[in-house]
């Protein structure tokens, strides 16, 4: 049962925010009030829906003593009794603590792991999978750094994804993705196992990370072109080294100014991710949770092409629709991972 006192505190805060915005406030203050208001509104909507059902049930039970209304009440009560647990569960989910980064854009990084050329080809397949998933959700997907392999695979790629709740959906993709299939480079028809590493980082904003100019070294270098007339002959590529951590970020667009912006944003995002991991480790050093842990060394998923299946090892979920998955049909597995994560949080709150 959810404490009524807590629900009342939330609704009173929501009413205060409504009144404060109606009275008018300065630009900076109104933005903060509006953000808190929008965050609380789904919770208050669930509170109101749950209270409405509880009130309707109380009224229906009271009607049992009225001979004229008894039959109607007896029809309504079972329906209300079945709907209240569902509403209470939805309210519990709405009350779960939110990851502050869930609504942010994300940086997606994909790198081949074990498997040589086949791993690079698989990394390219993952890139296209996420591009299609982003398109299906109406997100903006921009590749900001890409190194191709000789056979058309990917040595490394960094992409920026913008849209509604990007990190909330994509954060479960961080980890080692394993593929089992007959490589294009295999003439004997043998099945090989290769892997690629995916990292999804919430985009940092300036209030999160301030980078001291004395802590970075910026180098310019010649961008590598496609050959022939497309060779970039200007020293436009930018490499930024963060001296305290040793992080190195590069960007090789045509504009040196744009490259500096991209590289600094990627650097801030990686530094923000390091800080989030440090805080999370301090809070839950002994927690055995896998879903959402963001451990990039953890094997999270296997894509078995001969059997047409995808298995997510964190929740023991197997889908025999690999073709659709590789075309970006990821909602079923991401929904399951989200539900599993919510169940864990509910269990922790109940302790």
């Amino acid at each position: 049962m959810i404490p009524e006192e807590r629900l009342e505190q939330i609704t009173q805060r929501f009413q205060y925010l409504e009144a404060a915005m109606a009275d008018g406030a300065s630009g900076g203050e109104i933005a903060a009030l509006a953000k808190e208001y929008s965050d609380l509104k789904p919770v208050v909507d669930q509170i109101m829906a749950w209270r409405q059902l509880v009130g309707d049930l109380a009224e229906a039970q009271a009607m049992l003593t009225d001979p004229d209304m008894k039959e109607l009440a007896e029809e309504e009560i079972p329906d209300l009794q079945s709907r209240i647990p569902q509403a209470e569960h939805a309210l519990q989910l709405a009350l779960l603590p939110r990851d502050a980064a869930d609504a942010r854009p994300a940086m997606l990084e994909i790198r081949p792991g074990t498997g040589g050329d086949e791993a690079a080809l698989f990394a390219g397949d993952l890139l296209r999978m996420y591009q299609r998933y982003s398109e299906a959700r109406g997100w903006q997907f921009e590749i900001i750094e890409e190194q191709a392999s000789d056979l058309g695979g990917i040595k490394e790629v960094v992409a920026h994804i913008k849209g509604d709740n990007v990190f909330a959906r994509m954060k479960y993709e961080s980890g080692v993705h394993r593929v089992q299939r007959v490589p294009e480079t295999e003439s004997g028809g043998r099945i090989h196992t290769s892997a690629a590493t995916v990292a999804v980082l919430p985009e940092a904003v300036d209030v999160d990370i301030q980078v001291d100019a004395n802590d970075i070294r910026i180098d310019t270098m010649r961008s590598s072109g496609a050959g022939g007339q497309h060779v970039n002959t200007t020293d436009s590529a930018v490499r930024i080294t963060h001296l305290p951590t040793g992080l190195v970020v590069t960007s090789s667009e045509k504009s040196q100014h744009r490259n500096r912006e991209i590289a600094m944003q990627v650097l801030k995002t990686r530094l923000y991710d390091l800080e989030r991991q440090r805080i999370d480790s301090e809070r839950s050093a002994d927690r055995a949770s896998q879903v959402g842990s963001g451990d990039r060394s953890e094997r999270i998923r296997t894509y078995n092409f001969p059997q047409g299946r995808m298995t997510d090892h964190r929740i023991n979920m197997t889908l025999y629709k690999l073709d659709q998955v590789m075309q970006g049909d990821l909602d079923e597995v991401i929904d399951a991972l989200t539900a599993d994560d919510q169940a864990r949080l509910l269990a922790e709150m109940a302790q």
Side-chain angles (χ1 to χ4, degrees), residues 7 103 237 263 318 334:
L7 301 184
T318 296
I334 291 177

Side-chain angles (χ1 to χ4, degrees), residues 10 24 32 55 81 113 124 144 174 216 239 275 293 311 317-318 323 345:
I10 294 171
Q81 287 176 329
I144 59 177
S174 288
I216 60 174
R239 178 175 62 211
E275 180 64 12
S293 67
T311 298
M317 180 183 191
T318 296
D323 287 345
L345 290 171

Side-chain angles (χ1 to χ4, degrees), residues 7-307:
L7 301 184
E8 191 59 29
Q9 288 174 343
I10 294 171
T11 53
Q12 287 181 2
R13 178 63 181 173
F14 184 74
Q15 290 165 0
Y16 164 78
L17 293 170
E18 273 189 322
M21 289 192 298
D23 290 342
S26 63
E29 185 182 4
I30 197 71
L33 292 173
K35 174 67 169 62
E36 187 179 356
Y37 177 88
S38 66
D39 289 343
L40 278 183
K41 190 176 188 311
V43 181
V44 173
D45 287 345
Q46 291 292 347
I47 292 174
M48 295 298 106
W50 176 74
R51 282 178 170 173
Q52 182 68 51
L53 288 172
V54 171
D56 290 348
L57 178 60
E59 288 181 8
Q61 289 172 332
M63 287 161 52
L64 290 172
T65 59
D66 184 340
D68 295 332
M69 304 297 291
K70 182 178 180 181
E71 185 176 350
L72 177 61
E74 288 176 341
E75 290 179 3
E76 288 185 350
I77 287 173
D79 177 59
L80 291 168
Q81 287 176 329
S82 67
R83 290 166 62 192
I84 285 175
Q86 299 171 7
E88 184 167 342
H89 180 68
L91 177 53
Q92 288 175 326
L93 292 179
L95 290 170
L96 287 176
R98 289 286 183 265
D99 185 336
D102 273 355
R104 295 191 180 189
M107 292 287 185
L108 169 70
E109 302 179 358
I110 306 175
R111 296 176 179 85
T114 56
D117 289 334
E118 167 62 8
L121 290 170
F122 178 53
D125 292 339
L126 290 178
L127 172 63
R128 287 181 285 276
M129 179 181 77
Y130 292 127
Q131 284 177 306
R132 290 162 183 152
Y133 181 62
S134 298
E135 289 170 4
R137 295 195 70 87
W139 295 341
Q140 180 181 335
F141 192 101
E142 179 189 8
I143 295 176
I144 59 177
E145 183 69 20
E146 182 178 7
Q147 296 181 36
S149 69
D150 294 337
L151 296 180
I154 297 295
K155 290 182 179 179
E156 178 181 14
V157 65
V158 179
H160 186 213
I161 311 175
K162 293 194 293 186
D164 294 334
N165 296 316
V166 170
F167 186 67
R169 299 294 292 175
M170 289 291 294
K171 62 185 177 183
Y172 301 108
E173 297 303 298
S174 288
V176 176
H177 295 240
R178 184 177 67 171
V179 62
Q180 295 171 329
R181 65 184 178 187
V182 179
E184 297 177 15
T185 55
E186 169 61 53
S187 58
R190 293 174 299 175
I191 297 174
H192 286 222
T193 298
S194 304
T197 301
V198 173
V200 180
L201 316 178
E203 184 179 48
V205 295
D206 287 339
V207 295
D208 297 321
I209 297 292
Q210 295 292 334
V211 178
D212 191 327
N214 296 320
D215 288 342
I216 60 174
R217 184 180 71 243
I218 301 178
D219 301 306
T220 57
M221 51 195 176
R222 181 156 298 181
S223 299
S224 57
Q229 63 181 346
H230 302 292
V231 171
N232 190 337
T233 59
T234 62
D235 294 332
S236 63
V238 170
R239 178 175 62 211
I240 299 179
T241 303
H242 187 248
L243 303 175
T245 62
L247 285 174
V248 178
V249 177
T250 61
S251 181
S252 51
E253 296 289 320
K254 292 183 178 180
S255 164
Q256 187 177 121
H257 178 72
R258 175 64 176 148
N259 283 332
R260 282 176 179 258
E261 289 182 352
I262 291 173
M264 280 301 297
Q265 184 58 56
V266 174
L267 176 62
K268 287 180 179 180
T269 295
R270 290 182 183 173
L271 290 172
Y272 176 54
D273 182 60
L274 286 176
E275 180 64 12
R276 280 170 51 86
Q277 289 187 54
R278 183 189 66 78
I279 293 172
D280 187 61
S281 295
E282 290 178 355
R283 288 176 179 170
S284 54
D286 58 349
R287 191 172 71 194
S289 169
Q290 291 183 324
V291 176
S293 67
D295 183 356
R296 256 79 84 187
S297 65
E298 174 194 347
R299 188 193 72 189
I300 63 167
R301 199 174 288 160
T302 295
Y303 305 75
N304 186 297
F305 278 74
Q307 297 178 15

